[in-house]
Amino acid sequence: MSFQQIPVIDLELAFDPKTKPEFLENLRHALIEVGFLHLINYETVGPTRKDLEQIKEQAERFFELPEEVKLGCEMIHSPHFLGYTRLANEVTASHTDWREQIDLGTELPAPGPDEPIYRNIEGPNLWPDAKYAPDFKPVVLIHIEKMTRLGTIFRKLVCEAIGLDSTSLDGYFKPNQQCKMKIIAYPDSGQLSNESSKALDDKPSTGQGCGPHRDSDLLTYIYQPTTHSESLQVQNFQGKWVTVDNIPNALVVNAGQTLEAITQGVCKATIHRVLIPKAGSGTRISIPFFQTIDLDSHKSVAKGISKEVLHMKDERDEKILNWAVDVGFQFSPEVGKFPVGHAVFKNRIKSHQDVSAKWYPSILKEVLAEYKT
């Protein structure tokens, strides 16, 4: 049998020598057998409850801003794929995602003209006019800072859980590594009844808030500030969709394809999706934080994973052979063949085709041709 629920991991256990072995065992199970977990008691090394309340408040206020203010920081103005995306303007697994969002990241300067094209993934944020959202930028930057610290600590524990030295992944990160985040609003189905897609010729009847996909980063940390409990789903290795409970103040953590590649498939990047909230349940807010690695690095395989852990991975994979799931076309190059930035850039080209048409029209044409083959 594959997993039927998402495990809960208590981070406090990692900082007591008496309970750390139990913590690492629980984390190992979550990484190998599920790919998802609930992380609790992280406040001493990450955002506090007050911090989370503040980012929730700013998220709600942002989506209440006048349309012209949000469009002032629309992603179409950014060659770095940062900024606001209006409702129903993004595509996952060949269908419209019925959500609006703003993409943000660690503040970095734009790359120079002689740098590889994929480095344009990194650059400065687009912010809403401070006249209308005076606290948005400082609260977001504090959130990025604290989540980056939590992610640094947790990735070292991930290494230990699968038998690696805690510093084994340090070489994949550069000083001032840019991490990304989104602030997302998923209107409920009642609110969407008269909406039309900006991206494709489809309707909210698909039920897709965000289509089935695997994250491409190292680790994702999702804060779910609203009370919705039936939207986020994970697909287990028998093809069943498992609902992710909404535990107050917990972070939902999942492995991305980068971590899966680096760990020889040990840490599983599990397929997941978001359903449109039920009519009358109100708008669901989600705030995912993506721990990314240096765009110039390669997904080379980490050395030193124990035979015991690799055997656990092989046993898990036997459960996956009897079914297949179509999650749409995803760029995931062979381990070590291309810099990570190569695949990340292509994914963004495909997901935000209006932005790509403005800034990278020839590359968009190539990506769409590859997508159809």
Side-chain angles (χ1 to χ4, degrees), residues 91-93 95-97 208-214 241 272-274 327:
V91 175
T92 304
H95 289 289
T96 298
D97 291 331
Q208 176 168 304
C210 182
H213 67 284
R214 299 178 177 92
W241 288 105
H272 52 288
R273 69 182 182 184
V274 178
V327 295

Side-chain angles (χ1 to χ4, degrees), residues 261-262 297-301 331-340 342-343:
I262 290 173
S297 63
H298 289 67
K299 292 180 182 178
S300 54
V301 173
F331 293 98
S332 184
E334 296 177 21
V335 173
K337 186 176 180 180
F338 298 108
V340 166
H342 178 85

Side-chain angles (χ1 to χ4, degrees), residues 323-359:
W323 63 275
V325 178
D326 179 13
V327 295
F329 185 75
Q330 293 179 292
F331 293 98
S332 184
E334 296 177 21
V335 173
K337 186 176 180 180
F338 298 108
V340 166
H342 178 85
V344 176
F345 186 63
K346 278 190 170 183
N347 272 322
R348 299 302 277 174
I349 291 287
K350 178 174 64 71
S351 295
H352 294 278
Q353 296 179 20
D354 57 337
V355 180
S356 305
K358 177 179 179 178
W359 297 99

